[in-house]
Amino acid sequence: MQISELEARTGVGRHALRYYERLGLLGDVHRNGSNYREYPESLVGDVELVRRMQSLGFSLAEIRQVLDGLRTRDIDCVDGARLLAEKRARVEEQIGGLREVSRILAREQKRLEDNAIRHGKRLE
């Protein structure tokens, strides 16, 4: 498929896709006889994985390490497990922070609602 189709199927812009390609995140991309890049079907899943991993705080270098390991089936299990454990700990830390923010927002919402009621305002 050409870049326009990969862009449409993943929702990732062509500039980001080309950046990923330069960093080696997309593996080897071949060119056809007209010198257009031909992106394999498997890259749809790879691009989605890159986006998910980025949203979890993985750096592009870490993502490349994981993708390279998956492609070659040669990831060092100890290093891979350590990397994922570190990321998981960061995600758990973020979840804890989000829960605290949620508690603060709920408490403030309740205070404002109670104040509105005391002043005879209708809540909608």
Side-chain angles (χ1 to χ4, degrees):
M1 82 182 84
Q2 291 185 353
I3 197 164
S4 59
E5 185 178 348
L6 184 59
E7 182 178 27
R9 292 188 52 198
T10 62
V12 175
R14 67 185 58 225
H15 296 292
L17 291 170
R18 290 217 170 100
Y19 181 65
Y20 292 166
E21 185 180 344
R22 282 192 306 275
L23 294 178
L25 296 173
L26 303 184
D28 292 328
V29 176
H30 302 286
R31 293 183 179 264
N32 65 19
S34 303
N35 206 30
Y36 287 107
R37 291 176 177 95
E38 284 291 329
Y39 296 92
E41 181 71 26
S42 62
L43 286 186
V44 173
D46 287 355
V47 171
E48 290 169 352
L49 179 61
V50 168
R51 288 306 222 189
R52 274 188 245 125
M53 291 178 76
Q54 277 186 304
S55 73
L56 294 172
F58 283 77
S59 70
L60 291 176
E62 291 167 329
I63 294 169
R64 180 175 178 188
Q65 180 184 6
V66 169
L67 287 174
D68 287 348
L70 290 173
R71 286 186 187 116
T72 62
R73 302 274 189 234
D74 188 31
I75 192 166
D76 181 290
C77 293
V78 172
D79 289 343
R82 186 179 311 117
L83 174 66
L84 294 178
E86 289 169 5
K87 291 303 175 182
R88 195 168 143 252
R90 276 198 245 164
V91 167
E92 292 296 328
E93 189 176 300
Q94 289 175 330
I95 290 170
L98 289 171
R99 283 192 178 121
E100 179 60 26
V101 168
S102 180
R103 282 191 292 274
I104 291 167
L105 293 174
R107 186 176 60 234
E108 191 61 18
Q109 176 187 355
K110 175 85 169 98
R111 185 188 67 77
L112 292 170
E113 288 171 348
D114 290 348
N115 195 30
I117 291 168
R118 273 195 305 277
H119 288 89
K121 307 251 178 156
R122 257 184 77 205
L123 298 175
E124 306 211 14

